[in-house]
Amino acid sequence: LGIAAFELLISNLYPFTETVASGATQDESIEQIDIGGPSMVRGAAKNHPSVAVVTSPSQYGELTDALASGGFTLAQRKALAAAAFVHTATYDVAVASWMGNVVTDTSDGSGFPSWIGGTWDRAAVLRYGENPHQRAALYRSAGSAAEGQPPGTLATAKQLHGKEMSYNNYVDADAARRAAGDFDAPAVAIIKHANPCGIAVGVDIAEAHRKAHACDPVSAFGGVIAANRSVSVEMARQIADVFTEVVLAPGFDDGAVEVLTAKKNIRVLHVGPHRRGGVEIRAIDGGLLMQSTDVAYAGHDRAANWKLVSGPPASAAVLADLEFAWQAVRSVKSNAILLAHDQASVGVGMGQVNRVDSAKLAVDRAEQRAQGSVAASDAFFPFPDGLEVLLAAGVSAVVQPGGSVRDEEVIAAAEQAGVTMYFTGARHFFH
């Protein structure tokens, strides 16, 4: 036929994901599902021994260089082919996910589709993993780090200063951002090994930090600090006095970064506000678990919906502290007990295999501050013994889910001590 063989294909697929994100109708979105483009790209990629395929404007510089030098090498064509298949796979996953969740319901009414898929792009190779003998890397959701977009997630956070982030830094930063992000008022969370050593709210972010740090100054050394407001110069000066691994916030007031960066190695991250809700995924051997994210603003988290089961009704101030403690304990690994006063944690008992030990740990951390504090338990007391530890320390009010077969015994212990106790009817396990 006298038709020369193709040696180069340049293809930009229809902007399907951008169309969906724009709020377009289903029909408009379906019109932007490319059919011929992916077929040509895959065909060219399959035939990479003789065809080069370019699928992204980011490859245009490499393309102009190749054209000027006589063409792509085989090694370059292989790399382009691999990138092309990634491109079409990512595109197909986006289309399939949208079709199975928006166009039709494949969940059989459960809310969980019959198939899920995702793609991630490697953003960084980390120095090591949880321990030095483990290898690690950071991956971002495909397309999440678009040029010019604000740093809306931890994986796309903009690092303003400090050494490169480590695997453990990311784990603790994620926990800190979640803990501080649970509150509407100015809040700060200080995290060590994925557990809070201090959470507090204040009239401003500097006060919140002072109160959070006061909970456990020893453990705060080398911690990760997250704020749900812009870091002020005052807060930055407070942080500068203590060795801190990471500070992350949705913004930094003028002069705050300069104060923080006086410390050579502190990592300073600009990351958007924590988004509540959605789903979360955890890998297990041979599969994964998916669940709706536990949120701290469900109906059972409001004191107005709690049931008073012992003692007199709490005053407005005590009730506010109980609400704070109930929200804060959600960020503590189970079994969890959190003592609070004046909208700040004063003692945290976390990650114990029985509730008695968690109560003892919280009381030990609080020391004399336990007297007159309030307590939150992430799950019910199976026996009165855990509650009795708190009562002996002088806790004045308690909030817990209730639901134990021995609730009456637990209530009787609180009644005997004259302590106010509320049941929420729901728990906040966190593993």
Side-chain angles (χ1 to χ4, degrees):
L1 298 176
I3 300 174
F6 282 96
E7 295 182 356
L8 173 66
L9 172 69
I10 304 173
S11 177
N12 296 318
L13 305 183
Y14 288 177
F16 170 75
T17 55
E18 293 84 354
T19 301
V20 172
S22 74
T25 65
Q26 283 192 25
D27 286 345
E28 291 169 334
S29 298
I30 288 173
E31 281 301 311
Q32 293 301 315
I33 298 176
D34 204 331
I35 301 301
S39 298
M40 289 191 295
V41 168
R42 289 170 60 87
K46 177 181 177 180
N47 289 283
H48 62 270
S50 56
V51 181
V53 54
V54 174
T55 55
S56 170
S58 66
Q59 298 167 330
Y60 289 174
E62 186 180 3
L63 170 62
T64 56
D65 290 344
L67 293 174
S69 61
F72 287 103
T73 66
L74 177 59
Q76 288 176 314
R77 293 196 298 275
K78 287 180 178 180
L80 290 170
F85 279 115
V86 168
H87 186 59
T88 57
T90 302
Y91 193 86
D92 285 342
V93 166
V95 173
S97 298
W98 182 76
M99 291 289 293
N101 286 278
V102 177
V103 176
T104 187
D105 181 8
T106 64
S107 73
D108 298 322
S110 69
F112 296 98
S114 62
W115 175 90
I116 60 171
T119 59
W120 293 265
D121 298 323
R122 193 184 70 202
V125 176
L126 307 179
R127 289 176 59 198
Y128 52 80
E130 200 163 7
N131 298 291
H133 62 274
Q134 295 173 266
R135 297 184 298 166
L138 169 68
Y139 285 82
R140 294 172 178 155
S141 299
S144 65
E147 188 69 28
Q149 294 298 309
T153 67
L154 179 58
T156 60
K158 182 179 181 181
Q159 186 164 350
L160 306 179
H161 179 71
K163 298 188 297 185
E164 67 181 56
M165 290 282 285
S166 72
Y167 180 96
N168 291 332
N169 288 155
Y170 276 114
V171 172
D172 284 350
D174 196 49
R177 185 164 173 256
R178 162 185 158 132
D182 272 349
F183 295 93
D184 290 332
V188 167
I190 305 173
I191 298 292
K192 283 282 288 290
H193 298 293
N195 267 304
C197 46
I199 304 176
V201 299
V203 295
D204 57 41
I205 204 67
E207 183 190 46
H209 173 255
R210 286 193 299 272
K211 291 160 68 174
H213 180 79
C215 177
D216 188 355
V218 173
S219 298
F221 183 87
V224 170
I225 301 174
N228 70 350
R229 297 286 197 281
S230 290
V231 172
S232 64
V233 172
E234 184 181 1
M235 177 180 169
R237 287 173 177 155
Q238 292 166 185
I239 294 171
D241 292 334
V242 181
F243 170 61
T244 301
E245 287 277 355
V246 184
V247 178
L248 62 153
F252 296 85
D253 290 353
D254 290 344
V257 172
E258 288 74 13
V259 173
L260 291 170
T261 55
K263 295 282 189 177
K264 179 181 177 181
N265 292 325
I266 188 172
R267 300 162 180 89
V268 180
L269 299 185
H270 175 209
V271 57
H274 173 68
R275 289 175 291 184
R276 301 168 186 159
V279 297
E280 54 192 20
I281 294 172
R282 175 175 294 189
I284 61 171
D285 186 22
L288 56 83
L289 299 171
M290 176 183 287
Q291 66 172 355
S292 57
T293 301
D294 187 20
V295 295
Y297 285 88
H300 57 258
D301 295 312
R302 295 305 187 191
N305 298 318
W306 297 348
K307 180 181 179 181
L308 178 65
V309 295
S310 76
S315 67
V318 170
L319 208 54
D321 274 347
L322 284 168
E323 277 197 331
F324 166 82
W326 181 242
Q327 287 180 232
V329 79
R330 191 184 78 87
S331 298
V332 182
K333 294 295 183 73
S334 301
N335 288 310
I337 300 287
L338 184 140
L339 306 187
H341 176 69
D342 189 26
Q343 303 286 283
S345 61
V346 295
V348 184
M350 72 288 281
Q352 303 303 300
V353 293
N354 68 73
R355 204 153 294 277
V356 176
D357 285 347
S358 291
K360 289 178 179 177
L361 182 57
V363 167
D364 287 346
R365 292 282 175 84
E367 297 180 326
Q368 72 276 7
R369 295 172 298 175
Q371 182 70 40
S373 69
V374 304
S377 175
D378 68 332
F380 62 65
F381 291 97
F383 301 93
D385 49 3
L387 176 64
E388 288 166 350
V389 172
L390 304 179
L391 299 177
V395 166
S396 64
V398 177
V399 59
Q400 58 131 324
S404 167
V405 296
R406 294 181 176 83
D407 270 349
E408 291 305 318
E409 297 176 33
V410 176
I411 292 170
E415 286 279 15
Q416 184 177 357
V419 166
T420 297
M421 184 163 66
Y422 289 92
F423 281 1
T424 67
R427 75 182 185 201
H428 278 311
F429 267 170
F430 181 35
H431 297 104

